Amino acid sequence: MLLLLILIPIIAACAIFTGSKAKLTAQAAGALNLLLGLIAAFSSKAGFWNFSVPVLDRPAINLSLGLVDGMSTIMLLLSVIVTFAALLSGKAPEGKERLYYGSSLLISAGAIGAFVATDLFFFYAFHELALIPTFLMIGMLGRGDRKAAAWKITIYLGFGSLILLAGLAWLAAATGTLDMTAMAGSSIDPESQKGIAALLIIGFGVLVSLFPFHSWAAPAYASAPAPTAMLHAGVLKKFGLYGLLRLAVPLLPEGMHAWLTPLCVLLLGNILWVGFVTINQKRLDGMLGNSSVMHMGYIFLAIAALAAVPSSEVNELAKPAAVLLMFAHGISIAMLFGLADRIERSTGTLDLQELGGLAKSAPRLAFLFGIVGMASIGLPGLANFAGEVMVFISSFKNYDPVVGLGPVQITCILSIWGVVISAVYMLRAYRNIFQGPAVSNTESAADLSLMDRIPAVLLAVVLLAVGIFPNLLLNLL
């Protein structure tokens, strides 16, 4: 049952807080959830895993969990893979192991619950559950100006969650149900659609770091411990995109279409504005944080391609493109943050000007960072390339040469420059860290140990497998 995938990390976290060995318990729970998640995703009897129990009669709230379609299945896979890798990455501060591993498990439980919940109340509640340990991990175990970063993420995400709550409440009132599967047959008047869509775009957009509500993300990831950055940037931030694809696009087609042009302008802010900000970063953690924000723009482009078709006509390529890129980005950014943590532990710094020649003393680290760096800039043969190409093609799927270029096509043409921007900052960072003569910080830096290599190799294999054969995931859709 899907309930097990949520309960296992929660029970393991409770065991850790009450005295169980933190690292061993967390990693065992992560491995078990990875196994169960793979079985659930590729099982021929997916319905066997569904679960539902009434909680309240009025309003009718049910703890309902299910793999509704391939999108929720792929998000479940992303969650369990990144969770296992995150629990094997990083190093807990001395004396803080219980908080470190227990909080990481709770973030994972909340993310999994949000992706498999089919009741609107628990869909929202599970996400909020995951935010609480995120704030604690950054504020108590983070680095740098961690308290300021924790307050900033709390204020921004709290603001976004309140707007989202208003939008979800309006949606529930308009459809007369909290059951997300029953909402599919509902008819909502165009004016209500426009208002609900605006609230959902802003609410989910803040959680996804949609421009200009993005400034919380990079400082939070730069300050966060490795597992928190991996889980939030890799998994939890996809909740907002998942919510738009699950609720806004199918239920509010006319409402989403009404906001198409503003959405295109905002996503260009993610790709171009934040892209140039990323180029200007002097530290690897800040660069990766802004890079994560930038790449959300491409997934919003696929959502815009869906919103551009308000009638019965369907852009059948855009949703698979968005889901594939969500998965690919989640795997690659998690791997990047995990390796960045290892670079900092080996050299004592993430300042790009204080690094150089690290490939001489840490060739395995250089090789794995090279793979994921190339994935993040869209090298063919890796998962991100497949997702980005599908997004660009889907933007022209319903192009009419008689009508000419529409907002989505113009946005796509401009956003392709983001690929160049990505190559600039990632290749420059790789050169500064790994190439050239060794400096004092890197001369005697340790290479990846076996335990360090396991999570990185796991994520790299996933990027290669999906990049070479995208139908591994697309067949689930």
Side-chain angles (χ1 to χ4, degrees), residues 137-139 141-150 153 214-230 232-233 237 281-293 333 337 340-341 344 349-350:
M137 286 283 277
I138 294 173
L141 301 183
R143 58 183 182 273
D145 197 1
R146 64 181 189 275
K147 292 185 178 179
I153 189 176
H214 66 285
S215 62
W216 61 267
Y221 298 148
S223 299
T228 306
M230 294 172 71
H232 197 284
K237 194 158 73 166
Q281 296 302 302
K282 307 301 181 187
R283 286 178 55 88
L284 180 60
D285 49 5
M287 190 201 83
L288 296 180
N290 281 286
S291 167
S292 174
V293 174
I333 196 65
F337 275 119
D341 175 78
E344 186 175 34
T349 183
L350 288 175

mmCIF file of all heavy atoms in Angstrom, residues 137-139 141-150 153 214-230 232-233 237 281-293 333 337 340-341 344 349-350:
data_model
loop_
_atom_site.group_PDB
_atom_site.id
_atom_site.type_symbol
_atom_site.label_atom_id
_atom_site.label_comp_id
_atom_site.label_asym_id
_atom_site.label_seq_id
_atom_site.Cartn_x
_atom_site.Cartn_y
_atom_site.Cartn_z
ATOM 1 N N MET A 137 15.895 22.482 9.463
ATOM 2 C CA MET A 137 17.218 22.054 8.983
ATOM 3 C C MET A 137 18.056 23.246 8.540
ATOM 4 O O MET A 137 19.255 23.320 8.831
ATOM 5 C CB MET A 137 17.049 21.071 7.825
ATOM 6 C CG MET A 137 16.596 19.690 8.248
ATOM 7 S SD MET A 137 17.914 18.695 8.982
ATOM 8 C CE MET A 137 18.690 18.049 7.506
ATOM 9 N N ILE A 138 17.430 24.197 7.841
ATOM 10 C CA ILE A 138 18.186 25.363 7.387
ATOM 11 C C ILE A 138 18.555 26.251 8.571
ATOM 12 O O ILE A 138 19.704 26.688 8.716
ATOM 13 C CB ILE A 138 17.365 26.155 6.341
ATOM 14 C CG1 ILE A 138 17.174 25.322 5.084
ATOM 15 C CG2 ILE A 138 18.067 27.482 6.005
ATOM 16 C CD1 ILE A 138 16.237 25.930 4.067
ATOM 17 N N GLY A 139 17.581 26.531 9.436
ATOM 18 C CA GLY A 139 17.816 27.461 10.544
ATOM 19 C C GLY A 139 18.748 26.929 11.612
ATOM 20 O O GLY A 139 19.496 27.693 12.221
ATOM 21 N N LEU A 141 20.792 23.755 11.300
ATOM 22 C CA LEU A 141 21.954 22.982 10.863
ATOM 23 C C LEU A 141 22.596 23.540 9.601
ATOM 24 O O LEU A 141 23.537 22.941 9.067
ATOM 25 C CB LEU A 141 21.558 21.519 10.617
ATOM 26 C CG LEU A 141 20.959 20.763 11.810
ATOM 27 C CD1 LEU A 141 20.680 19.314 11.431
ATOM 28 C CD2 LEU A 141 21.877 20.821 13.017
ATOM 29 N N GLY A 142 22.094 24.661 9.116
ATOM 30 C CA GLY A 142 22.630 25.239 7.893
ATOM 31 C C GLY A 142 23.963 25.933 8.122
ATOM 32 O O GLY A 142 24.514 25.946 9.214
ATOM 33 N N ARG A 143 24.462 26.562 7.049
ATOM 34 C CA ARG A 143 25.733 27.267 7.128
ATOM 35 C C ARG A 143 25.522 28.697 6.634
ATOM 36 O O ARG A 143 24.487 29.039 6.088
ATOM 37 C CB ARG A 143 26.794 26.563 6.284
ATOM 38 C CG ARG A 143 26.450 26.411 4.818
ATOM 39 C CD ARG A 143 27.526 25.639 4.071
ATOM 40 N NE ARG A 143 27.231 25.515 2.663
ATOM 41 C CZ ARG A 143 26.499 24.548 2.134
ATOM 42 N NH1 ARG A 143 25.990 23.614 2.921
ATOM 43 N NH2 ARG A 143 26.275 24.496 0.832
ATOM 44 N N GLY A 144 26.550 29.522 6.810
ATOM 45 C CA GLY A 144 26.448 30.913 6.365
ATOM 46 C C GLY A 144 25.400 31.661 7.171
ATOM 47 O O GLY A 144 25.213 31.423 8.373
ATOM 48 N N ASP A 145 24.674 32.545 6.509
ATOM 49 C CA ASP A 145 23.623 33.326 7.170
ATOM 50 C C ASP A 145 22.340 32.502 7.206
ATOM 51 O O ASP A 145 21.324 32.847 6.603
ATOM 52 C CB ASP A 145 23.418 34.642 6.415
ATOM 53 C CG ASP A 145 22.664 35.669 7.250
ATOM 54 O OD1 ASP A 145 22.325 35.357 8.410
ATOM 55 O OD2 ASP A 145 22.410 36.768 6.740
ATOM 56 N N ARG A 146 22.406 31.390 7.946
ATOM 57 C CA ARG A 146 21.328 30.409 7.893
ATOM 58 C C ARG A 146 20.023 30.905 8.496
ATOM 59 O O ARG A 146 18.936 30.562 8.022
ATOM 60 C CB ARG A 146 21.755 29.114 8.577
ATOM 61 C CG ARG A 146 22.025 29.221 10.057
ATOM 62 C CD ARG A 146 22.458 27.884 10.640
ATOM 63 N NE ARG A 146 22.532 27.890 12.090
ATOM 64 C CZ ARG A 146 23.569 28.283 12.788
ATOM 65 N NH1 ARG A 146 24.653 28.708 12.150
ATOM 66 N NH2 ARG A 146 23.551 28.258 14.104
ATOM 67 N N LYS A 147 20.098 31.728 9.545
ATOM 68 C CA LYS A 147 18.861 32.204 10.178
ATOM 69 C C LYS A 147 18.097 33.145 9.256
ATOM 70 O O LYS A 147 16.866 33.069 9.141
ATOM 71 C CB LYS A 147 19.180 32.876 11.515
ATOM 72 C CG LYS A 147 19.682 31.894 12.565
ATOM 73 C CD LYS A 147 19.883 32.567 13.914
ATOM 74 C CE LYS A 147 20.346 31.555 14.959
ATOM 75 N NZ LYS A 147 20.582 32.189 16.289
ATOM 76 N N ALA A 148 18.817 34.026 8.582
ATOM 77 C CA ALA A 148 18.167 34.927 7.625
ATOM 78 C C ALA A 148 17.541 34.126 6.486
ATOM 79 O O ALA A 148 16.420 34.416 6.041
ATOM 80 C CB ALA A 148 19.169 35.937 7.081
ATOM 81 N N ALA A 149 18.267 33.106 6.013
ATOM 82 C CA ALA A 149 17.738 32.274 4.925
ATOM 83 C C ALA A 149 16.497 31.512 5.377
ATOM 84 O O ALA A 149 15.527 31.378 4.625
ATOM 85 C CB ALA A 149 18.811 31.297 4.452
ATOM 86 N N ALA A 150 16.526 31.009 6.634
ATOM 87 C CA ALA A 150 15.374 30.268 7.160
ATOM 88 C C ALA A 150 14.155 31.170 7.283
ATOM 89 O O ALA A 150 13.027 30.775 6.952
ATOM 90 C CB ALA A 150 15.725 29.653 8.507
ATOM 91 N N ILE A 153 12.797 31.963 3.651
ATOM 92 C CA ILE A 153 12.044 30.876 3.047
ATOM 93 C C ILE A 153 10.717 30.672 3.779
ATOM 94 O O ILE A 153 9.684 30.367 3.162
ATOM 95 C CB ILE A 153 12.880 29.571 3.011
ATOM 96 C CG1 ILE A 153 12.165 28.509 2.168
ATOM 97 C CG2 ILE A 153 13.167 29.024 4.373
ATOM 98 C CD1 ILE A 153 12.969 27.238 1.999
ATOM 99 N N HIS A 214 11.077 34.482 -6.615
ATOM 100 C CA HIS A 214 12.112 33.455 -6.647
ATOM 101 C C HIS A 214 13.261 33.683 -5.667
ATOM 102 O O HIS A 214 14.074 32.791 -5.479
ATOM 103 C CB HIS A 214 12.714 33.400 -8.050
ATOM 104 C CG HIS A 214 13.467 34.647 -8.401
ATOM 105 N ND1 HIS A 214 12.846 35.831 -8.718
ATOM 106 C CD2 HIS A 214 14.799 34.908 -8.460
ATOM 107 C CE1 HIS A 214 13.752 36.754 -8.965
ATOM 108 N NE2 HIS A 214 14.949 36.223 -8.811
ATOM 109 N N SER A 215 13.333 34.859 -5.057
ATOM 110 C CA SER A 215 14.582 35.222 -4.373
ATOM 111 C C SER A 215 14.836 34.439 -3.092
ATOM 112 O O SER A 215 15.920 34.529 -2.521
ATOM 113 C CB SER A 215 14.598 36.728 -4.077
ATOM 114 O OG SER A 215 13.542 37.080 -3.219
ATOM 115 N N TRP A 216 13.868 33.649 -2.628
ATOM 116 C CA TRP A 216 14.077 32.832 -1.432
ATOM 117 C C TRP A 216 14.933 31.597 -1.720
ATOM 118 O O TRP A 216 15.598 31.063 -0.825
ATOM 119 C CB TRP A 216 12.731 32.358 -0.864
ATOM 120 C CG TRP A 216 11.935 31.498 -1.805
ATOM 121 C CD1 TRP A 216 10.978 31.924 -2.682
ATOM 122 C CD2 TRP A 216 12.036 30.081 -1.998
ATOM 123 N NE1 TRP A 216 10.475 30.868 -3.405
ATOM 124 C CE2 TRP A 216 11.101 29.735 -3.008
ATOM 125 C CE3 TRP A 216 12.815 29.086 -1.429
ATOM 126 C CZ2 TRP A 216 10.928 28.420 -3.447
ATOM 127 C CZ3 TRP A 216 12.656 27.783 -1.872
ATOM 128 C CH2 TRP A 216 11.712 27.467 -2.856
ATOM 129 N N ALA A 217 14.902 31.119 -2.975
ATOM 130 C CA ALA A 217 15.410 29.778 -3.263
ATOM 131 C C ALA A 217 16.929 29.669 -3.158
ATOM 132 O O ALA A 217 17.447 28.800 -2.454
ATOM 133 C CB ALA A 217 14.934 29.332 -4.651
ATOM 134 N N ALA A 218 17.654 30.523 -3.873
ATOM 135 C CA ALA A 218 19.113 30.378 -3.903
ATOM 136 C C ALA A 218 19.749 30.523 -2.517
ATOM 137 O O ALA A 218 20.588 29.693 -2.145
ATOM 138 C CB ALA A 218 19.717 31.379 -4.893
ATOM 139 N N PRO A 219 19.384 31.545 -1.704
ATOM 140 C CA PRO A 219 19.974 31.622 -0.355
ATOM 141 C C PRO A 219 19.612 30.421 0.510
ATOM 142 O O PRO A 219 20.439 29.954 1.304
ATOM 143 C CB PRO A 219 19.378 32.919 0.222
ATOM 144 C CG PRO A 219 18.929 33.705 -0.955
ATOM 145 C CD PRO A 219 18.530 32.703 -1.985
ATOM 146 N N ALA A 220 18.383 29.908 0.354
ATOM 147 C CA ALA A 220 17.973 28.759 1.161
ATOM 148 C C ALA A 220 18.794 27.528 0.809
ATOM 149 O O ALA A 220 19.286 26.815 1.691
ATOM 150 C CB ALA A 220 16.487 28.481 0.952
ATOM 151 N N TYR A 221 18.990 27.258 -0.484
ATOM 152 C CA TYR A 221 19.754 26.085 -0.890
ATOM 153 C C TYR A 221 21.230 26.228 -0.550
ATOM 154 O O TYR A 221 21.903 25.253 -0.198
ATOM 155 C CB TYR A 221 19.589 25.831 -2.387
ATOM 156 C CG TYR A 221 18.169 25.541 -2.795
ATOM 157 C CD1 TYR A 221 17.687 25.921 -4.038
ATOM 158 C CD2 TYR A 221 17.295 24.882 -1.940
ATOM 159 C CE1 TYR A 221 16.375 25.657 -4.420
ATOM 160 C CE2 TYR A 221 15.995 24.614 -2.303
ATOM 161 C CZ TYR A 221 15.534 25.007 -3.546
ATOM 162 O OH TYR A 221 14.241 24.742 -3.905
ATOM 163 N N ALA A 222 21.752 27.461 -0.650
ATOM 164 C CA ALA A 222 23.157 27.687 -0.310
ATOM 165 C C ALA A 222 23.406 27.471 1.179
ATOM 166 O O ALA A 222 24.496 27.056 1.574
ATOM 167 C CB ALA A 222 23.570 29.100 -0.719
ATOM 168 N N SER A 223 22.404 27.751 2.009
ATOM 169 C CA SER A 223 22.554 27.604 3.455
ATOM 170 C C SER A 223 22.196 26.208 3.953
ATOM 171 O O SER A 223 22.600 25.816 5.045
ATOM 172 C CB SER A 223 21.673 28.630 4.184
ATOM 173 O OG SER A 223 22.040 29.943 3.844
ATOM 174 N N ALA A 224 21.411 25.468 3.185
ATOM 175 C CA ALA A 224 20.860 24.204 3.662
ATOM 176 C C ALA A 224 21.901 23.094 3.724
ATOM 177 O O ALA A 224 22.823 23.054 2.907
ATOM 178 C CB ALA A 224 19.713 23.767 2.758
ATOM 179 N N PRO A 225 21.758 22.160 4.678
ATOM 180 C CA PRO A 225 22.576 20.935 4.648
ATOM 181 C C PRO A 225 22.301 20.160 3.362
ATOM 182 O O PRO A 225 21.231 20.308 2.749
ATOM 183 C CB PRO A 225 22.084 20.162 5.880
ATOM 184 C CG PRO A 225 21.414 21.169 6.745
ATOM 185 C CD PRO A 225 20.850 22.198 5.827
ATOM 186 N N ALA A 226 23.234 19.335 2.964
ATOM 187 C CA ALA A 226 23.142 18.641 1.672
ATOM 188 C C ALA A 226 21.824 17.882 1.476
ATOM 189 O O ALA A 226 21.170 18.047 0.440
ATOM 190 C CB ALA A 226 24.332 17.697 1.497
ATOM 191 N N PRO A 227 21.377 17.040 2.440
ATOM 192 C CA PRO A 227 20.122 16.310 2.190
ATOM 193 C C PRO A 227 18.923 17.230 2.014
ATOM 194 O O PRO A 227 18.035 16.935 1.210
ATOM 195 C CB PRO A 227 19.968 15.442 3.452
ATOM 196 C CG PRO A 227 21.329 15.346 4.030
ATOM 197 C CD PRO A 227 21.996 16.644 3.720
ATOM 198 N N THR A 228 18.899 18.342 2.734
ATOM 199 C CA THR A 228 17.774 19.270 2.615
ATOM 200 C C THR A 228 17.761 19.933 1.244
ATOM 201 O O THR A 228 16.711 20.030 0.601
ATOM 202 C CB THR A 228 17.848 20.347 3.712
ATOM 203 O OG1 THR A 228 17.938 19.705 4.989
ATOM 204 C CG2 THR A 228 16.625 21.248 3.687
ATOM 205 N N ALA A 229 18.931 20.386 0.783
ATOM 206 C CA ALA A 229 19.001 20.986 -0.549
ATOM 207 C C ALA A 229 18.626 19.958 -1.616
ATOM 208 O O ALA A 229 17.909 20.278 -2.579
ATOM 209 C CB ALA A 229 20.404 21.530 -0.803
ATOM 210 N N MET A 230 19.086 18.728 -1.471
ATOM 211 C CA MET A 230 18.781 17.686 -2.446
ATOM 212 C C MET A 230 17.290 17.367 -2.477
ATOM 213 O O MET A 230 16.692 17.255 -3.551
ATOM 214 C CB MET A 230 19.576 16.421 -2.117
ATOM 215 C CG MET A 230 21.081 16.576 -2.275
ATOM 216 S SD MET A 230 22.018 15.139 -1.675
ATOM 217 C CE MET A 230 21.620 13.923 -2.931
ATOM 218 N N HIS A 232 14.704 19.245 -1.236
ATOM 219 C CA HIS A 232 13.814 20.352 -1.570
ATOM 220 C C HIS A 232 13.954 20.751 -3.032
ATOM 221 O O HIS A 232 12.967 20.837 -3.760
ATOM 222 C CB HIS A 232 14.056 21.555 -0.659
ATOM 223 C CG HIS A 232 12.912 22.529 -0.687
ATOM 224 N ND1 HIS A 232 12.703 23.387 -1.739
ATOM 225 C CD2 HIS A 232 11.897 22.761 0.184
ATOM 226 C CE1 HIS A 232 11.620 24.114 -1.514
ATOM 227 N NE2 HIS A 232 11.110 23.739 -0.352
ATOM 228 N N ALA A 233 15.178 21.006 -3.487
ATOM 229 C CA ALA A 233 15.363 21.415 -4.881
ATOM 230 C C ALA A 233 15.030 20.281 -5.840
ATOM 231 O O ALA A 233 14.472 20.511 -6.916
ATOM 232 C CB ALA A 233 16.804 21.876 -5.095
ATOM 233 N N LYS A 237 10.241 20.946 -4.513
ATOM 234 C CA LYS A 237 9.906 22.103 -5.347
ATOM 235 C C LYS A 237 9.067 21.712 -6.551
ATOM 236 O O LYS A 237 8.386 22.548 -7.146
ATOM 237 C CB LYS A 237 11.183 22.825 -5.781
ATOM 238 C CG LYS A 237 10.899 24.209 -6.342
ATOM 239 C CD LYS A 237 12.092 25.122 -6.284
ATOM 240 C CE LYS A 237 13.133 24.781 -7.287
ATOM 241 N NZ LYS A 237 14.126 25.873 -7.423
ATOM 242 N N GLN A 281 27.421 34.542 -10.310
ATOM 243 C CA GLN A 281 27.682 33.987 -8.983
ATOM 244 C C GLN A 281 29.160 33.661 -8.795
ATOM 245 O O GLN A 281 29.826 33.179 -9.716
ATOM 246 C CB GLN A 281 26.841 32.733 -8.747
ATOM 247 C CG GLN A 281 25.352 32.974 -8.740
ATOM 248 C CD GLN A 281 24.930 33.977 -7.695
ATOM 249 O OE1 GLN A 281 25.189 33.800 -6.503
ATOM 250 N NE2 GLN A 281 24.269 35.044 -8.133
ATOM 251 N N LYS A 282 29.651 33.897 -7.585
ATOM 252 C CA LYS A 282 31.060 33.642 -7.259
ATOM 253 C C LYS A 282 31.261 32.360 -6.454
ATOM 254 O O LYS A 282 32.388 31.923 -6.274
ATOM 255 C CB LYS A 282 31.624 34.821 -6.459
ATOM 256 C CG LYS A 282 31.417 36.181 -7.118
ATOM 257 C CD LYS A 282 32.050 36.261 -8.490
ATOM 258 C CE LYS A 282 31.857 37.645 -9.106
ATOM 259 N NZ LYS A 282 32.312 37.710 -10.518
ATOM 260 N N ARG A 283 30.179 31.783 -5.965
ATOM 261 C CA ARG A 283 30.264 30.551 -5.176
ATOM 262 C C ARG A 283 29.445 29.461 -5.861
ATOM 263 O O ARG A 283 28.407 29.724 -6.483
ATOM 264 C CB ARG A 283 29.733 30.774 -3.756
ATOM 265 C CG ARG A 283 30.668 31.568 -2.853
ATOM 266 C CD ARG A 283 30.024 31.779 -1.484
ATOM 267 N NE ARG A 283 29.610 30.534 -0.861
ATOM 268 C CZ ARG A 283 30.387 29.769 -0.095
ATOM 269 N NH1 ARG A 283 31.641 30.129 0.132
ATOM 270 N NH2 ARG A 283 29.924 28.649 0.428
ATOM 271 N N LEU A 284 29.904 28.223 -5.724
ATOM 272 C CA LEU A 284 29.236 27.108 -6.373
ATOM 273 C C LEU A 284 27.827 26.912 -5.831
ATOM 274 O O LEU A 284 26.898 26.654 -6.602
ATOM 275 C CB LEU A 284 30.056 25.828 -6.187
ATOM 276 C CG LEU A 284 29.467 24.562 -6.822
ATOM 277 C CD1 LEU A 284 29.316 24.727 -8.328
ATOM 278 C CD2 LEU A 284 30.337 23.351 -6.494
ATOM 279 N N ASP A 285 27.623 27.016 -4.510
ATOM 280 C CA ASP A 285 26.294 26.784 -3.959
ATOM 281 C C ASP A 285 25.299 27.839 -4.448
ATOM 282 O O ASP A 285 24.148 27.534 -4.772
ATOM 283 C CB ASP A 285 26.322 26.716 -2.431
ATOM 284 C CG ASP A 285 27.079 27.875 -1.790
ATOM 285 O OD1 ASP A 285 27.519 28.795 -2.516
ATOM 286 O OD2 ASP A 285 27.244 27.859 -0.552
ATOM 287 N N GLY A 286 25.733 29.111 -4.521
ATOM 288 C CA GLY A 286 24.857 30.149 -5.047
ATOM 289 C C GLY A 286 24.547 29.930 -6.520
ATOM 290 O O GLY A 286 23.422 30.169 -6.978
ATOM 291 N N MET A 287 25.539 29.467 -7.276
ATOM 292 C CA MET A 287 25.321 29.191 -8.691
ATOM 293 C C MET A 287 24.308 28.066 -8.888
ATOM 294 O O MET A 287 23.394 28.161 -9.713
ATOM 295 C CB MET A 287 26.646 28.812 -9.348
ATOM 296 C CG MET A 287 26.600 28.733 -10.864
ATOM 297 S SD MET A 287 27.936 27.719 -11.542
ATOM 298 C CE MET A 287 27.239 26.071 -11.363
ATOM 299 N N LEU A 288 24.430 26.991 -8.107
ATOM 300 C CA LEU A 288 23.507 25.874 -8.234
ATOM 301 C C LEU A 288 22.097 26.266 -7.808
ATOM 302 O O LEU A 288 21.113 25.847 -8.429
ATOM 303 C CB LEU A 288 24.001 24.685 -7.412
ATOM 304 C CG LEU A 288 25.329 24.062 -7.846
ATOM 305 C CD1 LEU A 288 25.692 22.894 -6.944
ATOM 306 C CD2 LEU A 288 25.274 23.613 -9.299
ATOM 307 N N GLY A 289 21.982 27.075 -6.748
ATOM 308 C CA GLY A 289 20.669 27.520 -6.299
ATOM 309 C C GLY A 289 19.956 28.338 -7.362
ATOM 310 O O GLY A 289 18.771 28.129 -7.652
ATOM 311 N N ASN A 290 20.671 29.283 -7.968
ATOM 312 C CA ASN A 290 20.073 30.093 -9.027
ATOM 313 C C ASN A 290 19.831 29.272 -10.291
ATOM 314 O O ASN A 290 18.851 29.510 -11.009
ATOM 315 C CB ASN A 290 20.979 31.289 -9.339
ATOM 316 C CG ASN A 290 20.835 32.403 -8.316
ATOM 317 O OD1 ASN A 290 19.852 33.126 -8.293
ATOM 318 N ND2 ASN A 290 21.827 32.525 -7.437
ATOM 319 N N SER A 291 20.703 28.316 -10.562
ATOM 320 C CA SER A 291 20.494 27.436 -11.708
ATOM 321 C C SER A 291 19.194 26.660 -11.571
ATOM 322 O O SER A 291 18.447 26.486 -12.548
ATOM 323 C CB SER A 291 21.674 26.469 -11.829
ATOM 324 O OG SER A 291 21.388 25.426 -12.729
ATOM 325 N N SER A 292 18.910 26.196 -10.356
ATOM 326 C CA SER A 292 17.661 25.473 -10.120
ATOM 327 C C SER A 292 16.455 26.354 -10.413
ATOM 328 O O SER A 292 15.474 25.914 -11.028
ATOM 329 C CB SER A 292 17.625 24.977 -8.667
ATOM 330 O OG SER A 292 16.379 24.387 -8.376
ATOM 331 N N VAL A 293 16.527 27.613 -9.983
ATOM 332 C CA VAL A 293 15.437 28.559 -10.250
ATOM 333 C C VAL A 293 15.291 28.775 -11.755
ATOM 334 O O VAL A 293 14.181 28.782 -12.303
ATOM 335 C CB VAL A 293 15.697 29.901 -9.539
ATOM 336 C CG1 VAL A 293 14.640 30.936 -9.921
ATOM 337 C CG2 VAL A 293 15.733 29.708 -8.027
ATOM 338 N N ILE A 333 19.855 18.061 -10.168
ATOM 339 C CA ILE A 333 20.159 19.090 -9.169
ATOM 340 C C ILE A 333 20.464 18.443 -7.824
ATOM 341 O O ILE A 333 21.309 18.937 -7.062
ATOM 342 C CB ILE A 333 19.007 20.121 -9.054
ATOM 343 C CG1 ILE A 333 19.488 21.385 -8.334
ATOM 344 C CG2 ILE A 333 17.804 19.543 -8.332
ATOM 345 C CD1 ILE A 333 20.540 22.170 -9.056
ATOM 346 N N PHE A 337 24.026 19.127 -5.843
ATOM 347 C CA PHE A 337 24.145 19.590 -4.450
ATOM 348 C C PHE A 337 24.889 18.564 -3.595
ATOM 349 O O PHE A 337 25.655 18.937 -2.694
ATOM 350 C CB PHE A 337 22.762 19.878 -3.863
ATOM 351 C CG PHE A 337 22.253 21.257 -4.165
ATOM 352 C CD1 PHE A 337 21.089 21.448 -4.882
ATOM 353 C CD2 PHE A 337 22.941 22.379 -3.728
ATOM 354 C CE1 PHE A 337 20.618 22.724 -5.167
ATOM 355 C CE2 PHE A 337 22.474 23.662 -3.999
ATOM 356 C CZ PHE A 337 21.310 23.825 -4.729
ATOM 357 N N ALA A 340 28.539 19.034 -4.502
ATOM 358 C CA ALA A 340 29.020 20.323 -3.988
ATOM 359 C C ALA A 340 29.349 20.218 -2.506
ATOM 360 O O ALA A 340 30.357 20.774 -2.030
ATOM 361 C CB ALA A 340 27.973 21.408 -4.224
ATOM 362 N N ASP A 341 28.516 19.495 -1.757
ATOM 363 C CA ASP A 341 28.803 19.289 -0.334
ATOM 364 C C ASP A 341 30.116 18.540 -0.158
ATOM 365 O O ASP A 341 30.906 18.863 0.736
ATOM 366 C CB ASP A 341 27.651 18.514 0.309
ATOM 367 C CG ASP A 341 27.933 18.156 1.755
ATOM 368 O OD1 ASP A 341 27.802 19.044 2.618
ATOM 369 O OD2 ASP A 341 28.293 16.984 2.022
ATOM 370 N N GLU A 344 33.019 20.880 -0.705
ATOM 371 C CA GLU A 344 33.249 21.756 0.444
ATOM 372 C C GLU A 344 33.919 21.013 1.588
ATOM 373 O O GLU A 344 34.812 21.544 2.251
ATOM 374 C CB GLU A 344 31.929 22.373 0.911
ATOM 375 C CG GLU A 344 32.113 23.409 2.018
ATOM 376 C CD GLU A 344 30.831 24.093 2.394
ATOM 377 O OE1 GLU A 344 29.765 23.448 2.350
ATOM 378 O OE2 GLU A 344 30.874 25.280 2.762
ATOM 379 N N THR A 349 35.943 25.077 1.041
ATOM 380 C CA THR A 349 35.375 26.267 0.418
ATOM 381 C C THR A 349 34.564 25.885 -0.809
ATOM 382 O O THR A 349 34.782 24.825 -1.418
ATOM 383 C CB THR A 349 36.472 27.261 -0.001
ATOM 384 O OG1 THR A 349 35.870 28.447 -0.541
ATOM 385 C CG2 THR A 349 37.392 26.655 -1.048
ATOM 386 N N LEU A 350 33.622 26.768 -1.179
ATOM 387 C CA LEU A 350 32.896 26.649 -2.435
ATOM 388 C C LEU A 350 33.076 27.906 -3.283
ATOM 389 O O LEU A 350 32.397 28.080 -4.294
ATOM 390 C CB LEU A 350 31.398 26.404 -2.179
ATOM 391 C CG LEU A 350 31.031 25.012 -1.650
ATOM 392 C CD1 LEU A 350 29.553 24.930 -1.331
ATOM 393 C CD2 LEU A 350 31.412 23.915 -2.656
#
